[in-house]
Amino acid sequence: MALKTLREVLHEELCMKSYSSQLARIHVDHYLFQLLQSTPEIISVSSEAPTTSWIPQAPPGNLDYHTSRLRDCISVLFMFERRPVRDREFSRSCRQWLDLLLSSLLRVASLSDHQFIFNH
């Protein structure tokens, strides 16, 4: 009887952890989508556009604020990439998010943005 109860409890715990993991991924996806959608300079650039490197006196519009938020997210994701993680799905998700954010940043990047990426 005790083993059956233990198995049921472990199964319920596993289901809850799996659900929590999927929900967290959805939250991150939503946050990144909102971040990219809130930046008109990034939305207006085609996904086929080449990378840029400009040396501005002042970035156009609120671009500096938005690229700063992108850099913050990229730094957090690189932090997770440096840690040893056994969960392949989590590692795959981090890399996908990094690909999305890095490609978006590189399309509107300044030289300091390129240096930021290079230093990671």
Side-chain angles (χ1 to χ4, degrees):
M1 183 69 167
L3 287 176
K4 183 178 180 182
T5 306
L6 182 59
R7 183 175 53 213
E8 289 173 0
V9 169
L10 287 175
H11 178 66
E12 289 174 12
E13 177 106 4
L14 178 64
C15 290
M16 288 303 295
K17 296 289 183 182
S18 177
Y19 173 76
S20 296
S21 172
Q22 291 173 359
L23 188 59
R25 179 185 162 89
I26 290 170
H27 281 293
V28 172
D29 282 335
H30 179 71
Y31 178 80
L32 295 178
F33 177 77
Q34 291 298 321
L35 175 66
L36 294 174
Q37 292 298 312
S38 69
T39 311
E41 294 87 357
I42 292 176
I43 294 173
S44 65
V45 177
S46 167
S47 63
E48 301 298 319
T51 61
T52 63
S53 180
W54 45 272
I55 307 172
Q57 301 299 338
N62 286 334
L63 188 58
D64 192 40
Y65 169 73
H66 293 294
T67 56
S68 172
R69 290 179 61 199
L70 279 173
R71 285 187 302 241
D72 290 342
C73 292
I74 289 168
S75 290
V76 169
L77 289 170
F78 270 121
M79 179 188 69
F80 283 112
E81 282 295 306
R82 288 186 196 103
R83 290 183 177 177
V85 178
R86 287 191 228 161
D87 186 355
R88 290 183 185 187
E89 183 64 32
F90 177 73
S91 293
R92 192 174 312 122
S93 294
C94 281
R95 286 191 186 106
Q96 288 174 345
W97 293 325
L98 272 170
D99 285 346
L100 173 68
L101 295 179
L102 288 170
S103 64
S104 298
L105 180 60
L106 283 171
R107 287 187 176 78
V108 294
S110 66
L111 285 177
S112 64
D113 295 326
H114 284 273
Q115 184 179 14
F116 164 79
I117 293 169
F118 182 72
N119 287 332
H120 269 289

